[in-house]
């Protein structure tokens, strides 16, 4: 009883320390990732030394067995084939006693033969040699030993329920009374001994089922056992044991994983939320991204696929195979009884052995190729298993996008990159990780210089005057005695007097009739098609576009276009606009106001609200597809632009797809260095600093060099053009030939944003690519922007 109390006290203290550790790592995500790395490193060492890993579920089984041993009860371990019952008892024995366990030889051996057998000594006398159970219970090798040679062992009695009921009853009638320290008269030898302190009898069984023909354990026998249910290792988001065991198996002795990250990592996205912190006396507004695991994603055609690298998907497929063998509901539950395997189980020990083999001699192959070949050769090609089982295992693997029949050359090879310790720890979904995506100081005080040069310091806060409340930045209009109307802006409250601080806002507001002063309404220019050499007359009607786009912004975004601002931009740049039309054949404009909402709002309000005709019914388009690179860069909230908000007129091409324009189609299959004529280092620097990436390159059309000097588009401009084009024509931009458009004015992390329309998925697609990336479907939508 004292041992039990001490063990329970120690267990409670341990759980308290574990909870403290959990709370500590939850407050420091990077610490949590490093702790997880150390766990993986410890797993790898355990696997090398003992060929066994003490995962949390195995530790729970150890505690259950330990508690049974302290109470003196024999233990009954039950579980399916392949759950590791025998290996568990071996490791429990080493953990609790420091000695290897004894194993009974089989179901045809009687109990008395497991206690002792008579022997003849050299002098002709008779003695007894203790056998598996007798030696473990007494700590003696024979009756010649006057004292115990060791403190006892654990006995592993496998397939206990293959024994006849009478044999089961006899064994437990004796063993159940053999509590450590008790003096008993041993059967067969008739010798009085004390039961050794470390003696524990463990019986292992596969319970009777359709698969196993087993003798029923009599109730009077069953009640004498402490029961321990042994299941397969866990594989969930909170406890991804199978995945972590496989990671440990490919970790080398230096704690490194020499496999491409793209072959092994799960897929994550970041849920963003605001946060306010204090730093050095300054309030800081942060955007915090909390990592969330994604089990499924959509490919570029809008089809659902399982997310993550091969190793992550394999761990989940193995979990489903385990559940199928245990007759638990699986992902193929629609098959009913046909979802259950009869004989085939791919045990974790075999998988870990393959992992070690790959990490030592198999790395010349793609990881997926290596494993698919192993599964085919050692399981799916074996006629010892039924055709139904082999087909079902293939279905489970295929569900997780693992096609064992695919040829090696059809599998994509991921690029290898050395992972830091933090990155290795972060592979596990067990780590609750979050990161700061963006932050900016919250300005609470400022100052205003009056026209007379006087400095007025103020706090940026609201001001109440009677029933009226003024917010910082609010603009209002007043009329002076002469009838002129002026805009003023409330800035805050004076620090010294508490009075409101108000300053003039921009220029005097002119009457509406003065806003319509004559502006050249149409820009006309002649453009020679470099492909056909035919000259075309192109024209852009500013007033028509202004009226249409004013309605668009009002209806879709509730924005009012400042007509005087737009006309001022048009008037100032009219000559240059005509020149650009004649150079590159621009035939449309976007009027871009200075107060556009952010990319996420534009996506929600003007993209995902589109309605298409589907089978004669108007249906909303699907949610925008976001590529993994774009999500890793913080999704829409993480987009950075190389321009400042201001009223702009942006020249564009109205063609549906780049292949419809002789210049645009020749910009495909070029990386960012190609289209900017900059070095990779300079491009990287500009992306990091949010600087412009102008288009300045040569293309070839019909053997002739054509110089392009222009701009790309921003994600905001692209989404506006998509929405306006669809509203006007009922068609989407970039929907043919998998055309993606580089958007050179928008960056996601260290990458450049790109976008297109997915006709199959009925959705916009947004992704981001490294500056060095090139592809036949990836080109430019050229533009040229003008402002005051």
């Amino acid at each position: 009883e004292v041992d039990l109390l001490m063990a329970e006290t120690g267990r409670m203290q341990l759980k308290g320390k574990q909870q403290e550790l959990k709370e500590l790592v939850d407050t420091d995500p990077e610490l949590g990732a490093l702790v997880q790395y150390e766990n993986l490193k410890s797993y790898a060492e355990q696997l090398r030394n003992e060929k066994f890993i003490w995962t949390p579920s195995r530790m729970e089984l150890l505690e259950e067995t330990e508690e049974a041993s302290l109470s003196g009860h024999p233990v009954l371990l039950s579980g399916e084939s392949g759950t590791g019952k025998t290996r568990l008892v071996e490791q429990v024995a080493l953990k609790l006693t420091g000695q290897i366990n004894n194993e009974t030889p089989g179901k045809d051996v009687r109990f008395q033969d497991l206690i002792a057998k008579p022997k003849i000594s050299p002098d002709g006398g008779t003695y007894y040699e203790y056998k598996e159970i007798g030696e473990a219970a007494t700590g003696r090798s024979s009756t010649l030993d006057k004292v115990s040679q060791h403190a006892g062992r654990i006995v592993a009695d496998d397939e206990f329920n293959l024994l006849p009921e009478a044999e089961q009853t006899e064994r437990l009638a004796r063993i159940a009374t053999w509590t450590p320290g008790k003096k008993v008269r041993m059967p067969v030898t008739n010798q009085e001994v004390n039961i050794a302190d470390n003696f524990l009898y463990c019986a292992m069984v596969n319970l009777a089922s359709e698969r196993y023909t087993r003798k029923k354990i009599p109730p009077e026998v069953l009640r004498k056992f402490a029961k321990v249910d042994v299941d397969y290792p866990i594989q969930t988001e909170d406890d991804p044991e199978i995945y972590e065991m496989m990671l440990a198996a490919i970790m080398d002795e230096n704690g490194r994983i020499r496999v491409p990250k793209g072959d092994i990592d799960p897929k994550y996205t970041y849920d963003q939320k605001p946060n306010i912190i204090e730093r050095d006396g300054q309030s800081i507004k942060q955007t915090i991204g909390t990592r969330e695991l994604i089990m499924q994603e959509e490919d570029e055609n809008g089809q659902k696929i399982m997310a993550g690298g091969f190793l992550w998907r394999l761990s989940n497929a193995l979990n489903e195979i385990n559940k199928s063998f245990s007759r638990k509901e699986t992902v193929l539950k629609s098959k009913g009884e046909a979802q259950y395997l009869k004989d085939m189980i791919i045990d974790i020990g075999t998988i870990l052995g393959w992992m070690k083999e790959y990490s030592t001699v198999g790395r010349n192959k793609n990881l997926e190729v290596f494993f698919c070949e192993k599964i085919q050769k050692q399981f799916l090609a074996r006629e010892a298993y039924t055709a139904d089982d082999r087909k079902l295992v293939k279905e489970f693997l295929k569900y997780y996008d693992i096609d064992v029949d695919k040829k090696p050359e059809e599998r994509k090879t991921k690029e290898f990159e050395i992972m830091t310790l933090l990155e290795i720890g972060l592979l596990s979904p067990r780590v609750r990780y979050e990161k700061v995506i963006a932050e900016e100081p919250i300005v609470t005080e400022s100052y205003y210089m009056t026209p007379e040069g006087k400095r007025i310091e103020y706090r940026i806060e609201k001001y109440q005057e009677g029933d009226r409340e003024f917010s910082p930045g609010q603009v209002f209009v007043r009329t002076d005695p002469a009838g002129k109307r002026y805009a003023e802006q409330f800035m805050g409250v004076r620090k010294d007097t508490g009075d409101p601080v108000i300053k003039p806002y921009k220029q005097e507001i002119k009457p509406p009739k003065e806003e319509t002063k004559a502006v050249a309404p149409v820009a006309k220019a002649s453009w020679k098609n470099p492909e056909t050499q035919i000259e075309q007359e192109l024209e852009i009607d500013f007033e028509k576009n202004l009226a249409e786009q004013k309605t668009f912004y009002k209806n879709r975004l509730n924005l009012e276009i400042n007509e005087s601002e737009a006309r001022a931009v048009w008037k100032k740049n009219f000559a240059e606009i005509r020149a650009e039309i004649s150079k590159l054949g621009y035939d449309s404009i976007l009027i871009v106001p200075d107060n556009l909402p952010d990319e996420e709002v534009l996506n929600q309000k003007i993209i995902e609200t589109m309605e298409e005709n589907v089978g004669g019914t108007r249906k909303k388009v699907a949610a925008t597809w976001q590529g993994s690179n774009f999500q890793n860069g913080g999704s829409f909230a993480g987009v950075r632009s190389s321009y400042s908000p201001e009223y702009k007129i942006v020249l564009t091409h109205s063609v549906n797809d780049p292949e419809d324009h002789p210049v645009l189609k020749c910009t495909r299959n070029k990386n960012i260095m190609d289209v900017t004529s900059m070095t990779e280092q300079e491009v990287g620097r500009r992306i990091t600093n949010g600087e412009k990436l102008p288009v300045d390159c040569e293309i070839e059309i019909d053997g002739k060099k054509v110089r392009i000097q222009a701009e790309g588009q921003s994600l905001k401009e692209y989404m506006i053009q998509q929405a306006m084009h669809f509203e006007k024509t009922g068609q989407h931009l970039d929907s043919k030939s998998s055309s993606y458009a580089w958007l050179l004015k928008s960056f996601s992390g260290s990458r450049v944003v790109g976008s297109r329309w997915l006709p199959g998925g009925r959705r916009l697609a947004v992704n981001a690519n490294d500056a060095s990336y090139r592809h036949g479907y990836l080109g430019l939508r050229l533009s040229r922007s003008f402002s005051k």
Side-chain angles (χ1 to χ4, degrees):
E1 289 87 358
V2 172
D3 285 345
L4 279 171
L5 288 171
M6 291 177 64
E8 184 60 27
T9 301
R11 189 176 294 114
M12 291 174 62
Q13 291 175 343
L14 176 61
K15 289 189 181 302
K17 293 295 184 184
Q18 289 172 335
Q19 182 60 32
E20 289 177 15
L21 175 61
K22 183 179 183 304
E23 292 173 358
L24 176 62
V25 298
D26 282 349
T27 60
D28 189 336
E30 291 195 358
L31 175 61
L34 293 173
V35 168
Q36 185 56 36
Y37 167 77
E38 292 298 330
N39 285 341
L40 291 173
K41 193 175 178 183
S42 174
Y43 286 175
E45 186 176 356
Q46 292 170 26
L47 188 60
R48 280 193 299 272
N49 296 336
E50 303 295 339
K51 306 297 186 288
F52 188 85
I53 299 176
W54 285 106
T55 62
S57 69
R58 306 300 102 170
M59 288 299 295
E60 287 182 16
L61 295 172
L62 171 65
E63 288 186 9
E64 291 181 39
T65 309
E66 181 182 32
E67 189 171 336
S69 70
L70 288 172
S71 63
H73 293 301
V75 178
L76 181 69
L77 295 98
S78 61
E80 294 285 355
S81 177
T83 53
K85 299 182 293 294
T86 303
R87 290 288 292 131
L88 177 67
V89 174
E90 290 176 2
Q91 293 302 310
V92 166
L94 291 171
K95 202 81 167 173
L96 298 184
T97 71
Q99 299 189 89
I100 60 173
N101 62 292
N102 287 349
E103 292 185 17
T104 59
K107 61 183 177 63
D108 297 324
V109 181
R110 297 178 303 166
F111 177 59
Q112 63 187 35
D113 293 331
L114 296 173
I115 300 300
K117 286 187 177 181
K119 291 284 184 179
I120 304 297
S121 64
D123 61 5
T126 300
Y127 72 100
Y128 287 92
E129 179 184 57
Y130 281 116
K131 304 307 288 183
E132 288 81 2
I133 294 179
E135 194 269 348
T138 64
R140 303 180 186 188
S141 60
S142 72
T143 53
L144 297 178
D145 295 334
K146 299 306 179 184
V147 294
S148 298
Q149 304 300 305
H150 57 77
R153 298 183 195 273
I154 291 177
V155 175
D157 193 358
D158 202 4
E159 301 287 12
F160 176 81
N161 54 346
L162 284 179
L163 299 170
E165 289 187 10
E167 179 68 21
Q168 295 179 26
T169 302
E170 181 182 0
R171 291 189 186 185
L172 263 294
R174 297 278 191 169
I175 292 173
T177 64
W178 291 357
T179 54
K182 183 179 179 179
K183 177 171 279 192
V184 301
R185 187 175 296 279
M186 290 297 291
V188 182
T189 68
N190 206 33
Q191 186 181 50
E192 283 191 0
V193 295
N194 290 324
I195 298 299
D197 289 344
N198 291 340
F199 171 67
L200 179 66
Y201 175 80
C202 293
M204 289 94 79
V205 298
N206 294 321
L207 295 178
S209 66
E210 295 177 1
R211 185 182 295 115
Y212 304 118
T213 302
R214 299 287 187 270
K215 304 277 191 311
K216 184 178 180 181
I217 300 176
E220 66 272 16
V221 174
L222 196 58
R223 67 181 176 81
K224 294 175 181 177
F225 279 112
K227 286 83 174 174
V228 176
D229 295 328
V230 183
D231 204 347
Y232 295 104
I234 299 169
Q235 178 64 25
T236 66
E237 179 178 348
D238 294 326
D239 294 297
E241 289 188 359
I242 295 177
Y243 175 63
E244 291 170 345
M245 292 166 81
M246 291 196 290
L247 283 179
I250 57 174
M251 182 179 279
D252 64 21
E253 294 183 1
N254 297 315
R256 297 291 185 180
I257 294 179
R258 302 182 184 277
V259 179
K261 185 179 179 183
D263 282 340
I264 61 177
D265 57 344
K267 183 68 175 290
Y268 299 103
T269 186
Y270 284 87
D271 181 35
Q272 297 179 26
K273 59 183 179 181
N275 185 45
I276 304 293
I277 64 168
E278 295 292 328
R279 183 189 298 150
D280 299 328
Q282 170 74 57
S283 294
I284 306 291
K285 179 182 178 182
Q286 295 180 324
T287 300
I288 303 294
T290 302
R291 191 173 76 164
E292 293 184 353
L293 180 67
I294 299 175
M295 294 303 293
Q296 283 190 322
E297 60 181 342
E298 292 182 352
D299 64 14
E300 293 183 356
N301 295 316
Q303 300 298 314
K304 289 281 187 182
I305 59 172
M306 300 309 294
F310 168 73
L311 199 68
W312 171 251
R313 289 182 281 112
L314 177 63
S315 65
N316 287 292
L318 291 174
N319 186 47
E320 294 301 318
I321 290 171
N322 290 341
K323 289 195 291 184
S324 173
F325 195 77
S326 303
R327 295 188 66 80
K328 297 175 183 176
E329 188 177 89
T330 71
V331 291
L332 301 181
K333 60 184 178 182
S334 61
K335 296 173 70 71
E337 284 293 308
Q339 70 178 306
Y340 301 127
L341 289 162
K342 295 179 176 61
D343 301 305
M344 186 186 294
I345 183 67
I346 305 176
D347 65 278
I348 189 65
T350 298
I351 293 294
L352 298 183
W354 292 349
M355 286 286 172
K356 293 302 295 180
E357 182 181 345
Y358 179 80
S359 65
T360 53
V361 299
R363 281 203 301 266
N364 60 323
K365 289 185 179 179
N366 173 286
L367 179 67
E368 186 170 355
V369 171
F370 179 87
F371 266 84
C372 287
E373 288 178 353
K374 287 288 187 183
I375 293 171
Q376 278 277 32
K377 184 177 180 180
Q378 298 193 25
F379 288 93
L380 301 180
R382 301 292 183 184
E383 293 187 4
Y385 300 110
T386 66
D388 287 344
D389 270 14
R390 286 180 283 166
K391 180 182 176 184
L392 185 56
V393 167
K394 277 190 175 184
E395 287 185 55
F396 280 121
L397 294 170
K398 194 69 176 289
Y399 183 89
Y400 286 94
D401 291 318
I402 301 171
D403 185 354
V404 293
D405 295 322
K406 186 182 287 187
K407 295 178 181 178
E409 58 269 21
E410 295 175 343
R411 302 184 193 275
K412 295 180 180 178
T413 300
K414 307 294 192 306
E415 186 176 343
F416 176 75
E417 55 184 281
I418 297 175
M419 285 184 282
T420 64
L421 309 189
L422 179 68
E423 288 172 329
I424 294 174
L426 285 175
L427 289 173
S428 175
R430 194 186 299 275
V431 180
R432 296 293 177 257
Y433 185 69
E434 61 182 28
K435 64 181 180 180
V436 177
I437 294 175
E439 66 177 27
E440 57 181 314
I442 299 176
V443 180
T444 58
E445 295 183 356
S446 187
Y447 67 91
Y448 163 52
M449 300 298 293
T450 67
E452 296 78 22
K454 183 179 179 181
R455 177 187 174 103
I456 298 176
E457 296 185 353
Y458 60 89
R459 295 186 299 273
I460 303 174
E461 59 185 45
K462 293 181 179 180
Y463 178 75
Q464 190 81 29
E465 185 176 76
D467 295 333
R468 191 174 182 185
E469 183 180 77
F470 295 87
S471 298
Q474 181 177 340
V475 177
F476 52 93
V477 177
R478 69 177 179 84
T479 304
D480 68 10
K484 291 185 178 180
R485 301 170 69 234
Y486 292 89
E488 294 185 324
Q489 187 174 30
F490 170 72
M491 305 304 295
V493 178
R494 287 183 63 145
K495 293 172 65 175
D496 54 354
T497 65
D499 294 330
V501 176
I502 297 172
K503 70 174 185 178
Y505 179 73
K506 294 187 177 179
Q507 303 293 323
E508 175 185 355
I509 297 179
K510 299 177 181 179
K513 62 181 181 181
E514 293 183 20
E515 293 182 5
T516 57
K517 285 185 177 179
V519 176
V522 179
K524 295 181 181 181
S526 179
W527 172 67
K528 179 184 285 188
N529 186 318
E531 195 171 57
T532 65
Q533 299 302 310
I534 296 174
E535 287 203 0
Q536 299 173 241
E537 288 296 322
L538 301 176
E539 66 176 46
I540 298 174
D541 189 326
F542 172 77
E543 290 297 334
K544 180 181 177 183
N545 276 277
L546 178 61
E548 291 173 349
Q549 296 187 29
K550 183 177 178 182
T551 301
F552 173 87
Y553 282 117
K554 179 63 178 175
N555 293 344
R556 303 297 297 278
L557 294 169
N558 197 29
L559 286 181
E560 296 286 353
I561 292 294
N562 187 327
E563 295 186 31
S564 63
E565 286 284 323
R567 285 194 177 91
V569 175
W570 177 261
K571 183 176 181 179
K572 176 186 176 184
N573 299 284
F574 181 75
E576 196 172 353
I577 288 172
R578 290 185 59 200
E580 289 297 318
I581 294 173
S582 67
K583 287 179 185 176
L584 291 172
Y586 296 112
D587 60 354
S588 64
I589 61 170
L590 299 176
I591 299 170
V592 181
D594 61 358
N595 57 346
L596 268 181
D598 60 30
E599 288 83 357
E600 188 162 17
V601 173
L602 288 177
N603 178 59
Q604 293 168 355
K605 290 192 173 183
I606 68 173
I607 298 297
E608 294 182 345
T609 55
M610 292 180 183
E611 291 187 352
E612 296 179 317
N613 189 325
V614 181
T617 305
R618 299 293 293 176
K619 290 186 179 180
K620 276 188 180 181
V621 299
T624 296
W625 178 83
Q626 300 177 43
S628 58
N629 286 345
F630 185 69
Q631 290 179 332
N632 291 338
S635 190
F636 287 107
V639 174
R640 297 176 293 112
S641 299
S642 61
Y643 60 90
S644 57
E646 57 184 337
Y647 259 88
K648 294 193 294 283
I649 289 176
V650 181
L651 283 172
T652 63
H653 296 93
S654 64
V655 292
N656 278 25
D657 293 271
E659 66 185 51
D660 301 329
H661 195 279
V663 175
L664 299 187
K665 69 182 180 182
C666 291
T667 65
R668 287 179 175 174
N669 204 29
K670 296 181 184 294
N671 63 28
I672 302 301
M673 283 66 75
D674 294 334
V675 299
T676 61
S677 299
M678 295 179 183
T679 64
E680 188 168 2
Q681 291 75 16
E682 176 62 13
V683 168
R685 186 191 68 78
R686 291 193 178 216
I687 293 174
T688 299
N689 296 331
E691 297 178 16
K692 294 179 180 179
L693 291 174
V695 179
D696 187 0
C697 65
E698 280 188 346
I699 60 172
E700 187 172 299
I701 301 177
D702 286 344
K704 295 180 180 179
K705 300 288 186 181
V706 177
R707 190 74 187 176
I708 302 177
Q709 291 179 311
E711 302 169 8
Q713 285 187 311
S714 70
L715 181 56
K716 285 186 179 182
E717 292 166 359
Y718 186 81
M719 287 195 287
I720 291 169
Q721 188 177 4
Q722 271 281 8
M724 287 183 177
H725 187 79
F726 178 74
E727 191 171 278
K728 195 170 184 178
T729 67
Q731 295 179 313
H732 301 289
L733 300 175
D734 302 314
S735 60
K736 292 193 298 186
S737 304
S738 301
S739 298
Y740 252 100
W742 279 116
L743 303 178
L744 299 190
K745 295 178 186 173
S746 293
F747 310 133
S748 176
S750 62
R751 299 179 171 95
V752 179
V753 176
S755 187
R756 68 164 295 214
W757 188 266
L758 300 175
R762 299 182 53 249
R763 64 182 62 206
L764 186 72
V766 184
N767 202 358
N769 287 299
D770 294 320
S772 58
Y773 185 73
R774 71 173 81 232
H775 201 283
Y777 60 65
L778 185 57
L780 291 171
R781 270 196 175 269
L782 299 173
S783 75
R784 179 66 193 277
S785 58
F786 302 90
S787 61
K788 291 203 301 183

